[in-house]
Amino acid sequence: QVQLVESGGGVVQPGESLTLSCVASGFAFSFYGISWYRQALGKERELVASMTATGGTLNYADAVKDRFTILKDNVKRTAYLQMNNLKPEDTAVYYCKAVSIRTGSTHWGQGTQVTVSS
């Protein structure tokens, strides 16, 4: 099976931190760039962060810059999104996406809910 399995979401207070995980199987993970997206209720899915397959290029949305960090571990076949100083506006379903640098083929995770509320 080709899949990305996400975990780590939950309900937290403003200012707290969460780390999301995305475990890959069924494809050559080391040759894939990774992106994290999020979709809040009533809004379109938006790109949060991305990195190349080698980890040499990182990009973050302005709303999360300096608070979120995207990571990729090819040995563990896992991508991460470290989220610090969470804000209520970060509340959304978060999805990981893997894109092959060779073929452009794309795989999506199932999504994990992050809720930031006092």
Side-chain angles (χ1 to χ4, degrees), residues 1-110:
Q1 280 187 306
V2 174
Q3 61 180 352
L4 296 170
V5 179
E6 296 169 305
S7 62
V11 180
V12 297
Q13 303 257 52
E16 294 183 343
S17 300
L18 281 175
T19 297
L20 307 182
S21 299
C22 181
V23 180
S25 62
F27 63 95
F29 185 70
S30 63
F31 295 109
Y32 283 67
I34 296 295
S35 298
W36 285 90
Y37 289 76
R38 67 186 182 187
Q39 187 166 19
L41 279 175
K43 296 186 177 180
E44 296 183 352
R45 189 170 299 185
E46 64 176 341
L47 178 63
V48 176
S50 65
M51 71 184 305
T52 56
T54 63
T57 302
L58 305 171
N59 291 287
Y60 298 94
D62 288 341
V64 307
K65 192 169 296 183
D66 299 323
R67 297 190 299 118
F68 290 13
T69 302
I70 186 170
L71 301 166
K72 185 172 186 278
D73 187 330
N74 290 328
V75 175
K76 296 181 179 179
R77 299 177 58 82
T78 303
Y80 304 92
L81 184 67
Q82 296 179 343
M83 305 183 294
N84 297 319
N85 191 24
L86 284 162
K87 303 175 179 180
E89 52 263 42
D90 296 319
T91 296
V93 178
Y94 285 73
Y95 302 87
C96 64
K97 183 180 76 172
V99 180
S100 173
I101 62 172
R102 296 181 292 109
T103 69
S105 62
T106 301
H107 307 297
W108 286 90
Q110 82 286 353

